[in-house]
Amino acid sequence: MFVQKLVLRQRTEILNALCSSGSAEHLEQVLDILLSQGELTWEDYQNIQVSGRALHCNARKLLDLVYTKGEDTCGLFFAAFKRVLPDAKGVGTSSSGCSSTLEEKEEHQSTCTETLLTQRPSLVEKLRGCIDGALEDLVTSGHFTSADCCEVQLPIHTPCQQARRLLDHVRSKGESAAKVVLQFIQHKQEPVSPLNQEKLTPPKEVLTYQKKLSSSISAQSCFLSTYGGTSHMSLDDIYTDGQLELAHNCVDVHGPLGLEDIVGAVGTVNKEADTVLVSGEAGGGKSTLLQRLHLLWARGAALQDFLLLFPFSCRRLNSEQRELSLQELLFQHCCWPDRQQEEIFQFILDHPHLILFTFDGLDELKQSFSDEHRLCCPTQRAPVHILLFNLIQGSLMKGVRKVVTSRPEAAGPLFKRHLCKEVLLKGFSPSGIDCFVRKHHSDAHVAAKVLESLRTNTALLGLCHSPVLCWIVSQCHKELLGCGEGSLQTITDVYLMILQNFFQHKSSLKNTAGLCWLEQHLQTVLHLGKLAFDGIGATCYIFSGTDLETCGVTEKDICMGFLMQSKDISTHAEGYEFLHLTMQCFFAALYIVLSDNTDRSTIPKLFETRKMKEAGQSSRCFIACLPSTDQPQRPSGGETTAAETPNQQITATFVSGLLSQRHRSLWLHCCPSAVMEKRVRQVVKCLSKGMQKHFKSIPQPVEGEKKSMHAMPGFVWLIKCIYEMQEDRVAKEAMSKLEVDHLKLTYCNIGPVECTALAYVLQHLRNPVGLQLDNNSVGDVGVEQLLPCMHICNSL
């Protein structure tokens, strides 16, 4: 009776593990396995999966049923649970009786309909990405009507749930329908691997090169590189999955995605294209996700349909001044073959479907995407960005799968025309934050205290959905635990915390003069700030020794830990880059706030709002604010990067936070009060003007309808800047002239962080509004953040 009692004893933990994500997928996978093992009858399954009933209720029904069926069923339940949730801690682990194993039942099915039950878990997995094809075969064979198809493809269901509904409908249609589906799956599975499809045995020199390439990528990927230089964290130990979703214009909108789904068929909207875009905000984990994919491929643990993988960093490609051929780009920037380069390159040209390219940080490239310069010849030399753009379009190496990461603002309509699909990376889920913090701290007691502190400060918890902020909070846990509850509210607060952390932990200076920590390290801040400021103006993220020398950066400044070494593989030149792009924006903001050398027009130009397509003519605020002798070289032809506006906005957000009343005591002895007050007035004026510009764009309502405003992402950015300032008078002034009945914020990348800012500002509206937040990633934490403005919302 031990296992049976364990189901009762661990009931709360089991329910939490099955339901805490909010998705029914884990419960449904367990049900699939128990059905396939014969431990549940079809009637049992239908009694548990009642449509419209709460997830927790269905999970409780399963536990009740499993308990009543006895010891053996309970043992198999635990085995199924562990297969679905192998990382769930504390469930079934204390039981030596939980050793039941799940048997594979492949040889004893007498009918196809029985096979649909006994092989249900694997069939769901095989069908979820090809529902349309299976339905087409069923309609063609006369087993399904269009009404049957509509019932299977209800958009409220995830691809896995659609696959289950398909199997359920097919069982009810009988043996011949089941046979059609099984034949479809068998036909679909045969060409899964291009290597198997062609019965291809790669030449010996290619396999030798693959081994060298894998070894090189594994060495580059095994440690977390995004925040390198602070500590050597193994990627295996620290990596935590972010939330992956298909973009709203994809066919398969719903359901959680795995890493391999990024390059898989699921969600494809343009079958002629080869490029997948992974988009997400700065600090959202895009680079780390690619690094994880690289490491899994190098170990043979994922992406094994691809014989060769070539990883590129757009940040490093920026420094490539030479014209290169495609062969030179691959071998010089990734891994050089020891011999027979021509034969290996010819193999790549002949078998493009076996090759995977990844390009990290398209938004950091100096040139904006263009399809004006067409290049089809793989041996012709061209500037690197021309090669890259033609690879993305498919003019070069058609058939090669490409994965590109970028912030959403940099991926314009022209670029998206060449995508087979777009995947959104939404940062950590609440359970992801918990997992990351526990992985970051080997001491479970410390991890528990950090998580407890986060749960008492929901604004900070909302910030931690961004992996980079979650890392900062984990890195600075002592400072976090030492500050009063609620004192950390904004992104600026968090970055100031890590600034103080680094200075206090890496400096040997004794504060004997009674200086505050910032005043003590002011020169380092200014040196690094100028480097960051100039770099953003020139779209430069990797700095040479000459760059450091020009900005006065000393060895002591470097030793503080905000810069890490970066070696250019093609030239083997040593360089430096900031720990993270957002860290560079933060130092640029510090320079704007504290330096005497910035032009008085710096702040007004920083807060200029413009559409991305206009960036090429006007996004020059950093350049224009420097003396002519200090202006870095721009790309020829007036070209600019799509990265400038997003980086400008991040910097402006930090400037707003740094100039808030709560932080002015830090600047007391670092900058004259009169200068500081002038800069505060400039920011307040810019925010007010920016809001008025949005309000003036509101069209007059049609007679008889309510007046509504459809906000753009720039409006949300201004809201975040106002929140960073943490001054009610600024929020009141900004909202004083907004008179609408309905505020639409659809498709504005609203997450928990933005909800906190929205609530802070919208609570100052004069009249109630209806607030529309469809097609965002608000989540439970975001809803909780909206509570302060609920009194002014007449609908949500």
Side-chain angles (χ1 to χ4, degrees):
M1 294 291 289
F2 186 86
V3 183
Q4 199 172 8
K5 287 180 180 178
L6 200 60
V7 171
L8 282 182
R9 191 184 310 149
Q10 297 187 342
R11 186 179 177 92
T12 301
E13 291 82 0
I14 294 169
L15 284 171
N16 184 58
L18 288 174
C19 305
S20 62
S21 68
S23 166
E25 185 58 23
H26 293 147
L27 173 64
E28 290 174 352
Q29 286 182 17
V30 171
L31 289 172
D32 289 343
I33 294 170
L34 294 177
L35 263 178
S36 70
Q37 296 293 311
E39 291 302 314
L40 295 183
T41 65
W42 189 244
E43 291 71 25
D44 292 333
Y45 179 82
Q46 290 180 314
N47 287 333
I48 293 168
Q49 284 290 76
V50 176
S51 178
R53 191 164 64 190
L55 175 59
H56 274 88
C57 293
N58 289 342
R60 290 188 183 98
K61 282 285 184 185
L62 171 62
L63 294 184
D64 295 343
L65 185 61
V66 165
Y67 180 81
T68 59
K69 283 181 176 282
E71 191 80 352
D72 291 341
T73 302
C74 290
L76 285 166
F77 166 78
F78 276 117
F81 181 94
K82 280 300 180 186
R83 177 188 288 184
V84 173
L85 290 159
D87 296 326
K89 296 178 181 178
V91 177
T93 54
S94 61
S95 168
S96 58
C98 290
S99 57
S100 299
T101 56
L102 302 171
E103 300 172 359
E104 295 294 331
K105 301 185 177 182
E106 297 182 358
E107 304 296 333
H108 308 297
Q109 304 92 327
S110 57
T111 67
C112 292
T113 49
E114 286 180 12
T115 301
L116 295 187
L117 270 184
T118 57
Q119 299 300 309
R120 186 178 176 92
S122 62
L123 293 178
V124 168
E125 185 65 26
K126 293 170 184 175
L127 275 171
R128 68 177 186 142
C130 52
I131 300 289
D132 291 344
L135 289 173
E136 187 177 336
D137 279 14
L138 287 164
V139 170
T140 303
S141 62
H143 292 95
F144 265 38
T145 64
S146 59
D148 291 326
C149 295
C150 290
E151 194 166 348
V152 167
Q153 291 183 298
L154 282 173
I156 61 171
H157 297 303
T158 67
C160 286
Q161 288 172 332
Q162 290 180 357
R164 293 184 182 99
R165 290 176 73 84
L166 174 63
L167 293 176
D168 297 347
H169 272 60
V170 168
R171 284 188 73 254
S172 69
K173 300 286 185 180
E175 185 71 5
S176 58
K179 187 175 182 180
V180 169
V181 169
L182 292 176
Q183 286 176 343
F184 169 81
I185 292 173
Q186 183 179 5
H187 176 73
K188 196 78 177 172
Q189 289 300 110
E190 283 172 359
V192 162
S193 170
L195 288 172
N196 293 336
Q197 182 182 357
E198 297 184 6
K199 308 292 183 189
L200 178 68
T201 302
K204 183 179 178 182
E205 61 268 19
V206 173
L207 292 176
T208 301
Y209 178 65
Q210 182 201 39
K211 187 175 180 181
K212 181 179 181 181
L213 181 64
S214 300
S215 177
S216 173
I217 291 175
S218 179
Q220 294 171 38
S221 306
C222 59
F223 290 102
L224 184 66
S225 61
T226 314
Y227 323 118
T230 57
S231 58
H232 293 289
M233 291 184 281
S234 166
L235 192 66
D236 289 327
D237 294 339
I238 198 65
Y239 182 78
T240 303
D241 286 322
Q243 302 173 91
L244 288 170
E245 298 175 8
L246 291 166
H248 60 83
N249 61 337
C250 289
V251 177
D252 301 309
V253 176
H254 304 282
L257 299 181
L259 287 178
E260 292 211 67
D261 290 325
I262 293 172
V263 295
V266 61
T268 298
V269 292
N270 181 0
K271 294 181 180 178
E272 298 303 312
D274 306 311
T275 301
V276 177
L277 171 65
V278 178
S279 65
E281 298 299 331
K286 302 182 294 296
S287 298
T288 307
L289 179 145
L290 272 193
Q291 189 183 340
R292 182 64 175 171
L293 274 178
H294 297 161
L295 184 61
L296 292 175
W297 175 82
R299 291 175 173 171
L303 306 177
Q304 291 310 287
D305 289 350
F306 300 101
L307 189 67
L308 300 175
L309 185 154
F310 293 95
F312 297 95
S313 163
C314 293
R315 179 177 295 192
R316 288 175 174 77
L317 291 179
N318 268 338
S319 61
E320 181 59 81
Q321 302 298 321
R322 301 168 296 169
E323 291 194 352
L324 301 175
S325 67
L326 179 61
Q327 180 175 342
E328 290 167 335
L329 177 71
L330 297 184
F331 294 161
Q332 292 183 17
H333 277 268
C334 292
C335 178
W336 186 264
D338 293 325
R339 56 182 67 88
Q340 296 178 295
Q341 291 93 341
E342 296 300 329
E343 290 81 358
I344 294 170
F345 185 62
Q346 190 58 51
F347 179 88
I348 292 170
L349 296 178
D350 293 341
H351 304 89
H353 58 280
L354 300 181
I355 314 301
L356 175 65
F357 294 162
T358 66
F359 296 96
D360 186 30
L362 183 71
D363 52 298
E364 297 179 14
L365 207 63
K366 287 183 178 179
Q367 296 81 9
S368 294
F369 179 82
S370 167
D371 59 4
E372 293 179 2
H373 303 283
R374 289 301 173 100
L375 181 67
C376 302
C377 177
T379 58
Q380 182 181 341
R381 286 190 170 91
V384 167
H385 70 278
I386 299 295
L387 290 176
L388 194 158
F389 295 160
N390 278 275
L391 286 168
I392 289 172
Q393 295 169 46
S395 303
L396 266 180
M397 295 295 288
K398 180 72 175 173
V400 169
R401 181 68 85 181
K402 280 83 65 173
V403 177
V404 179
T405 69
S406 173
R407 280 180 280 177
E409 302 91 339
L414 179 64
F415 172 74
K416 290 189 176 183
R417 278 173 41 196
H418 301 285
L419 298 180
C420 68
K421 64 179 172 183
E422 180 180 359
V423 177
L424 309 177
L425 181 57
K426 298 286 191 174
F428 289 151
S429 65
S431 59
I433 295 172
D434 187 284
C435 179
F436 181 88
V437 171
R438 293 187 188 281
K439 284 183 174 183
H440 192 279
H441 297 285
S442 55
D443 187 332
H445 178 66
V446 172
K449 287 183 70 175
V450 172
L451 290 169
E452 182 183 353
S453 181
L454 289 178
R455 292 180 188 119
T456 60
N457 182 350
T458 54
L460 186 58
L461 180 63
L463 292 177
C464 285
H465 282 73
S466 168
V468 68
L469 295 178
C470 196
W471 170 77
I472 291 175
V473 167
S474 299
Q475 189 77 9
C476 304
H477 66 278
K478 291 180 181 176
E479 287 82 355
L480 173 67
L481 298 175
C483 65
E485 181 181 335
S487 62
L488 291 176
Q489 297 289 322
T490 68
I491 296 174
T492 308
D493 293 343
V494 176
Y495 276 78
L496 279 172
M497 181 173 67
I498 197 170
L499 189 71
Q500 185 176 7
N501 172 282
F502 273 45
F503 281 145
Q504 292 182 345
H505 286 73
K506 305 214 174 180
S507 174
S508 59
L509 290 176
K510 301 292 183 182
N511 189 7
T512 54
L515 304 175
C516 79
W517 62 267
L518 182 63
E519 188 180 359
Q520 188 180 11
H521 299 285
L522 181 59
Q523 289 308 306
T524 293
V525 169
L526 292 174
H527 295 160
L528 294 176
K530 179 168 173 54
L531 185 72
F533 181 82
D534 292 356
I536 288 177
T539 321
C540 176
Y541 309 104
I542 298 179
F543 305 97
S544 66
T546 304
D547 295 329
L548 270 63
E549 187 177 337
T550 301
C551 295
V553 177
T554 65
E555 190 65 37
K556 185 189 98 172
D557 299 333
I558 295 171
C559 290
M560 288 299 168
F562 298 106
L563 297 174
M564 61 181 179
Q565 279 195 322
S566 174
K567 177 178 282 189
D568 189 318
I569 295 176
S570 60
T571 63
H572 300 287
E574 292 285 354
Y576 288 89
E577 58 187 305
F578 283 87
L579 294 177
H580 195 269
L581 178 59
T582 54
M583 187 71 73
Q584 183 172 343
C585 292
F586 180 62
F587 271 97
L590 284 167
Y591 185 74
I592 291 169
V593 168
L594 295 174
S595 175
D596 297 328
N597 297 325
T598 54
D599 190 275
R600 63 182 180 179
S601 65
T602 299
I603 288 177
K605 290 186 176 180
L606 183 67
F607 281 88
E608 282 180 0
T609 56
R610 63 183 64 84
K611 294 179 182 178
M612 187 62 64
K613 66 182 180 182
E614 298 169 352
Q617 288 74 40
S618 57
S619 184
R620 310 263 182 133
C621 80
F622 290 91
I623 303 300
C625 301
L626 293 172
S628 59
T629 54
D630 292 340
Q631 291 182 14
Q633 291 296 312
R634 302 291 301 173
S636 60
E639 291 178 306
T640 189
T641 173
E644 285 186 358
T645 297
N647 290 339
Q648 181 178 326
Q649 291 186 345
I650 293 171
T651 305
T653 306
F654 280 130
V655 167
S656 302
L658 292 171
L659 289 173
S660 68
Q661 184 68 48
R662 57 195 289 170
H663 295 314
R664 282 179 217 169
S665 60
L666 272 175
W667 326 128
L668 202 58
H669 302 290
C670 301
C671 186
S673 297
V675 174
M676 194 63 64
E677 290 299 330
K678 182 179 178 181
R679 287 173 182 170
V680 171
R681 288 194 298 271
Q682 281 186 306
V683 170
V684 172
K685 184 178 179 181
C686 289
L687 293 176
S688 178
K689 282 180 64 178
M691 290 303 246
Q692 298 310 315
K693 188 175 179 181
H694 280 279
F695 298 161
K696 287 178 182 176
S697 68
I698 303 172
Q700 289 300 315
V702 177
E703 187 175 351
E705 292 188 0
K706 293 183 176 181
K707 189 176 183 181
S708 64
M709 171 184 171
H710 195 152
M712 303 303 287
F715 175 79
V716 179
W717 161 62
L718 289 171
I719 291 278
K720 289 170 73 174
C721 290
I722 293 170
Y723 174 71
E724 290 291 316
M725 289 205 82
Q726 289 286 293
E727 293 188 33
D728 286 348
R729 67 178 179 87
V730 179
K732 285 178 182 176
E733 184 180 341
M735 291 293 102
S736 63
K737 296 181 182 177
L738 177 60
E739 295 179 357
V740 292
D741 301 301
H742 194 69
L743 182 58
K744 293 181 68 175
L745 289 155
T746 53
Y747 299 113
C748 281
N749 293 317
I750 305 290
V753 177
E754 290 72 24
C755 286
T756 308
L758 280 170
Y760 178 81
V761 176
L762 294 183
Q763 65 181 321
H764 297 292
L765 282 168
R766 290 182 174 181
N767 302 309
V769 295
L771 192 60
Q772 188 172 346
L773 287 163
D774 295 347
N775 299 101
N776 288 295
S777 301
V778 174
D780 292 343
V781 176
V783 172
E784 189 173 351
Q785 296 305 300
L786 289 170
L787 291 177
C789 73
M790 286 300 185
H791 68 281
I792 203 72
C793 293
N794 53 30
S795 65
L796 177 64

